[in-house]
Amino acid sequence: MPIDQHVLPETDLIIPACHKEEEDEYEVVYHKPATLVDVNMHYCPGCAHSLVHKLIMEVVEELDIQEKTVGVAPVGCSVFAYDYMDIDMQEAAHGRACAVATGIKRLMPGKYVFTYQGDGDLAAIGIGETLHAINRGENILIVFMNNAVYGMTSGQMAPTTLPGMHTTTSPDGRDVSFYGAPIKVAELMANLPGSFYVTRQAVNSANAVRKTRKALVNAFKYQQLHKGTCLVEIIGNCPSNWKMTPVEAAKFIDEEMVKTFPLGDIKVPNAEDLKIF
Amino acid sequence: MSEFKLMKGNEAMAEAAIQAGCDAYFGYPITPQSEVLEYLAREMPKHNRIVMQAESEVASINMVYGAAGAGFRTMTSSSSPGISLMQEGISYIAGAELPCLIVNVNRAGPGLGTIQPGQGDYFQSTKGGGHGDYKMIVLAPASVQEMADFVFLGFDLADKYRNPVLMLSDGAIGQMMEKVQFKPYTRPEIDKSSWATTGKPKTRNRNYITSLHILPEKMEVHNLKLEEKFKKIRENEVRFEEINTADADYLFVAYGLSARICQKAMDIARQKGIRIGLLRPITLYPYPYQRLRELTAQVKMMLSVELNSGQMVEDVRLGVEGKVPVEFYGRMGGMMPTPEEIVHHLETLIQYHHAN
C-alpha cells in the first residue's frame, strides 16, 4: 500500500490528470503521464524532483516500458519516489543504489533499470558503489540529482557544494582548502571505460527541461544496446535549502552552478553504436 | 542416493548452493571462506547462474538485496569482519522482508583478529547485529555435511518466512575436509509475484521493496507484523541435537565446532564414570530454551563450551532460569580447547558444586 496517502495531510483538493468535460471543447495538448501516480508530492515548492519524476515517467510511457522498468530510490528526499512512480521499485540504503541496481539488472538483463540518486547519496557515501558499477559497465541508467546540498537532512554541505557556498555545516562558506573542491561527478565517471553516455543537464527553464527529457529518452533507449552505464546528471533546484525563492533558485543555477558544473554532453556514443536506432 | 564425496566445508556449501538452485551469488574475498567465491566463479556460469565478485561486502549484501527483491534465490558469504560490514544491508533486508542466505565462516576477533576459527559472532548473529528490531534464523553446522544440508534448509526457510537466514559456521568447519553426500532436493514452489519487482504489468499494482515506514503508526504496524513472524519462527523452527541425555547427570551445551570437541570430551568423561550428555543447538535463533528448561529436572549442572568469552551461555541461563548451575568454559583467539582440557574443567566444577 502506498504510504504517501498517510504522509500528506488529508485534502479535498483533487487535481484530475485531465478535465473530462473540457475534452469535448478543447484539444488536450498536454497531460501528466499515466505512469505517474496522481497524488500530491511531498516535495518543496520549486524543487526539481517532482519535475524530474514526471520526466522519467513520461519517458517510460513514451517508450512503453512500464512493464519492463525497475527503479531504485535510495535514501534522500526522493526515497519516496515509489509513491509517485507507477512502476516496480526498490528503496535502497544510503549510497547503495548502484549495488542494488546491479543485483536487479544482472538477474534481469532484459529490464530497464535505473537509479535515482542525490549528490550526498551518490557522490559521498555511495561513490564507491557508483564508480564500480560504472566501471563494470552495468547496463543501468543513473539519474544523478545534484543540488549541491543534502536536501532531506535540511541543507548540509555535500561533496558537490560550491566553493564558498553557505550551508548549515559550512556556515562560513565551503572552504576548499579544508574540504576540497566540489566533485564533478559526470566528468569523473566519463573517464571510466564502462560509461556509455554521460551528460549534465538542468530543469530550471523550459528549454533546459526539453534537453533533459531528450537526454533521459536516449539514456533509457541506450540500455537496449548493453554497451555500458548511462549517467544523466541533473542540476536540481533546491530553493528551500538554498534559502531562495523558486525564481531565485532557477537563476542561481544559470549564474553560479554552471560555473562549476557546466551543462551539456560529456560523453556520447559514436554513430556506429547507435546504428540500430 | 548420490555417492559420498570428500570436500571442504566451504566447497560443500558452494556446491549445495548450486544444487539448491541459487540464482545468484555476490561475494568478496576474505579468509577463511574465499573458496566459496572461487568455487562458484568456476561452477556457476556452467549452470547459467550469476556470480559476481563485488567491490566490498557492503556492495555484495546490497546486490543480494536487489536480486532478492526481484524474486531470485540469492546468497552471499563472508567471514566475521566482512559480516560486520554487511550489517546495515542485513537490517534493510530484514526490514524489507527479503529471503536470502548469508553465510558467516566465523573467525576470531575483535577487529582484524585472526584468520583462525572462533565463535565470537554469536551475539552479532542472534541478537540483532544491525540496527532495529529484527531476527535472522541462525543455523549452526557442526560438520561438512551440515554445511551442505543447511544451504538447502536455509534457502527454504528464507522463502517460507521471507526473512534472511544466516548460516553461522566457523573457520575450522569451513576449511576441513569430510565426506559429504548431496541428497536429492526439490525446491518448494513459492509464488513471489505479489511482491517481487519484476516489472509492473497492467494487471497488477506496482510492487516495491522498502523498509521505510515514516509514520510511527505505520512503522509500529510493520514492527508488529515482523514480531508475529518471529514468534511463528520460535514456535516452529527450533532445532537441536541431543546425545546421551537419557541418563545424564550433567550436560554440555555447545554448537558447531565446540560441539564436535565436546562429543569427544563426553566419551572421555563417560569412561571416567561421569554421566554427561550433550545438547547441541542447531538453530541459535530460535534457541532451544524449552528443552534446556526441561532438562533442569534431570541434570545437576550445565557447562556451556564456546570458542569465545562466554556468549551463548547467557541464552543457556535464560533457558535454565536459575534452576541448576550453568557454567562456562571457552578459549579465544583461534585457540582450541582439547577434550581432556574440557573434561578437567568439568571435573573441577563437579567437585566444586558437590562441595557447595
Side-chain angles (χ1 to χ4, degrees):
Chain A
M1 186 178 60
I3 60 168
D4 51 72
Q5 289 155 7
H6 311 286
V7 174
L8 296 164
E10 291 293 324
T11 171
D12 294 331
L13 183 68
I14 296 163
I15 308 164
C18 56
H19 296 270
K20 203 89 182 118
E21 67 273 24
E22 290 177 8
E23 266 180 23
D24 298 332
E25 294 173 41
Y26 302 101
E27 185 193 355
V28 176
V29 294
Y30 182 79
H31 60 80
K32 286 205 282 191
T35 44
L36 196 67
V37 180
D38 198 9
V39 292
N40 291 338
M41 290 186 178
H42 72 282
Y43 297 116
C44 306
C47 169
H49 280 309
S50 45
L51 187 46
V52 178
H53 283 18
K54 188 194 69 175
L55 290 180
I56 293 172
M57 287 301 101
E58 276 183 4
V59 172
V60 167
E61 184 178 57
E62 181 182 316
L63 300 178
D64 194 21
I65 55 171
Q66 183 184 26
E67 200 167 333
K68 295 180 188 161
T69 303
V70 180
V72 181
V75 171
C77 284
S78 55
V79 70
F80 293 108
Y82 54 72
D83 284 340
Y84 311 128
M85 299 184 185
D86 194 17
I87 52 171
D88 282 0
M89 289 197 81
Q90 296 195 17
E91 167 233 9
H94 196 26
R96 316 300 173 218
C98 282
V100 170
T102 297
I104 299 169
K105 183 78 181 195
R106 289 283 174 145
L107 273 300
M108 301 190 298
K111 305 287 178 185
Y112 295 81
V113 177
F114 72 92
T115 68
Y116 188 101
Q117 304 176 252
D119 43 337
D121 186 85
L122 184 146
I125 195 167
I127 199 159
E129 283 78 3
T130 307
L131 189 142
H132 281 280
I134 297 173
N135 194 52
R136 288 190 301 264
E138 296 294 341
N139 285 296
I140 58 171
L141 160 63
I142 299 169
V143 179
F144 170 42
M145 297 298 293
N146 176 7
N147 58 19
V149 286
Y150 283 77
M152 193 182 218
T153 46
S154 61
Q156 292 82 12
M157 182 180 61
T160 44
T161 296
L162 303 180
M165 190 173 175
H166 294 257
T167 72
T168 57
T169 50
S170 59
D172 299 323
R174 178 182 182 135
D175 179 356
V176 171
S177 72
F178 193 81
Y179 280 115
I183 296 179
K184 299 182 180 190
V185 169
E187 285 84 349
L188 177 68
M189 300 304 178
N191 282 317
L192 299 172
S195 59
F196 182 66
Y197 170 55
V198 180
T199 188
R200 184 184 287 117
Q201 301 295 337
V203 285
N204 63 332
S205 68
N207 194 30
V209 168
R210 270 196 296 275
K211 285 182 182 167
T212 299
R213 192 181 186 286
K214 182 70 187 153
L216 289 168
V217 169
N218 286 338
F220 265 98
K221 281 162 87 172
Y222 293 162
Q223 282 197 49
Q224 297 165 18
L225 300 174
H226 295 270
K227 292 269 184 183
T229 312
C230 294
L231 173 69
V232 177
E233 176 173 340
I234 298 169
I235 303 300
N237 324 24
C238 187
S240 293
N241 287 309
W242 294 351
K243 316 288 181 215
M244 295 175 189
T245 65
V247 174
E248 287 166 350
K251 264 192 200 158
F252 180 75
I253 291 175
D254 283 337
E255 288 168 6
E256 296 299 329
M257 293 279 277
V258 297
K259 288 181 193 165
T260 302
F261 302 113
L263 305 184
D265 289 341
I266 293 152
K267 188 175 190 178
V268 292
N270 59 46
E272 188 67 18
D273 286 330
L274 301 182
K275 262 198 319 205
I276 70 154
F277 292 118
Chain B
M1 269 298 181
S2 55
E3 59 184 5
F4 282 104
K5 288 180 177 173
L6 190 63
M7 289 180 100
K8 271 189 174 191
N10 287 337
E11 290 173 345
M13 180 240 289
E15 176 57 31
I18 291 170
Q19 296 196 18
C22 176
D23 296 305
Y25 172 91
F26 303 96
Y28 185 83
I30 183 171
T31 308
Q33 64 79 59
S34 297
E35 297 84 2
V36 185
L37 177 56
E38 289 170 351
Y39 188 94
L40 292 174
R42 196 172 66 232
E43 299 298 327
M44 287 281 264
K46 295 177 189 168
H47 301 266
N48 288 323
R49 317 274 181 80
I50 298 298
V51 57
M52 274 189 77
Q53 178 171 335
E55 63 270 27
S56 68
E57 290 88 347
V58 175
S60 54
I61 193 69
N62 282 284
M63 290 173 183
V64 167
Y65 180 103
F72 292 90
R73 185 164 263 203
T74 313
M75 76 178 281
T76 185
S77 65
S78 187
S79 181
S80 307
I83 296 289
S84 291
L85 277 172
M86 291 184 189
Q87 293 303 323
E88 178 201 40
I90 294 172
S91 173
Y92 275 70
I93 284 171
E97 295 192 86
L98 298 179
C100 66
L101 178 64
I102 301 150
V103 183
N104 180 3
V105 183
N106 199 160
R107 61 190 243 188
L112 197 52
T114 164
I115 57 172
Q116 300 301 324
Q119 294 183 322
D121 299 353
Y122 181 89
F123 281 151
Q124 185 198 54
S125 309
T126 61
K127 309 297 176 193
H131 59 283
D133 282 305
Y134 75 91
K135 293 289 181 192
M136 284 188 286
I137 297 171
V138 183
L139 301 168
S143 62
V144 171
Q145 182 65 55
E146 283 190 341
M147 272 194 87
D149 291 347
F150 292 176
V151 170
F152 300 92
L153 175 65
F155 273 130
D156 288 352
L157 289 174
D159 278 341
K160 183 177 174 186
Y161 293 99
R162 270 190 71 182
N163 205 66
V165 171
L166 179 80
M167 192 202 299
L168 180 60
S169 185
D170 64 65
I173 295 168
Q175 289 294 332
M176 72 187 182
M177 291 183 91
E178 287 186 313
K179 65 177 181 179
V180 57
Q181 189 180 32
F182 294 93
K183 293 149 199 163
Y185 168 75
T186 312
R187 183 171 169 178
E189 288 286 323
I190 302 271
D191 182 12
K192 298 180 176 178
S193 63
S194 65
W195 56 267
T197 59
T198 51
K200 174 201 160 343
K202 300 263 185 287
T203 48
R204 69 158 164 81
N205 290 329
R206 65 191 184 280
N207 287 340
Y208 54 82
I209 303 298
T210 187
S211 61
L212 171 66
H213 306 273
I214 197 90
L215 282 188
E217 297 88 336
K218 294 288 161 192
M219 189 64 217
E220 191 183 45
V221 168
H222 180 60
N223 284 133
L224 291 170
K225 183 185 161 212
L226 292 178
E227 287 308 311
E228 191 59 35
K229 176 165 81 175
F230 302 143
K231 184 166 167 260
K232 267 196 198 128
I233 290 170
R234 287 194 297 273
E235 286 167 0
N236 299 323
E237 305 302 341
V238 175
R239 287 169 169 79
F240 55 88
E241 183 189 21
E242 283 183 43
I243 306 175
N244 291 340
T245 51
D247 66 343
D249 295 326
Y250 302 97
L251 188 71
F252 283 131
V253 188
Y255 73 94
L257 183 60
S258 303
R260 293 285 289 266
I261 304 171
C262 280
Q263 259 181 276
K264 181 70 183 165
M266 182 168 64
D267 293 345
I268 297 169
R270 282 196 166 251
Q271 277 166 16
K272 292 185 171 197
I274 303 167
R275 286 190 300 190
I276 186 156
L278 169 66
L279 186 137
R280 175 172 76 92
I282 289 170
T283 50
L284 303 181
Y285 184 89
Y287 196 76
Y289 295 114
Q290 179 60 34
R291 184 58 192 144
L292 283 170
R293 203 165 301 141
E294 287 163 12
L295 285 165
T296 59
Q298 177 191 332
V299 304
K300 296 174 191 153
M301 180 191 70
M302 295 186 189
L303 176 58
S304 181
V305 179
E306 307 168 48
L307 300 177
N308 57 39
S309 63
Q311 298 190 15
M312 186 186 72
V313 64
E314 293 192 6
D315 277 327
V316 181
R317 289 187 176 126
L318 274 175
V320 164
E321 293 178 329
K323 291 191 170 73
V324 297
V326 174
E327 297 289 353
F328 166 75
Y329 188 70
R331 295 292 298 268
M332 290 180 285
M335 295 298 287
M336 296 295 127
T338 62
E340 292 76 13
E341 183 182 340
I342 293 169
V343 172
H344 176 73
H345 192 72
L346 173 71
E347 287 174 316
T348 312
L349 285 168
I350 289 171
Q351 274 180 6
Y352 170 80
H353 284 291
H354 188 68
N356 292 281

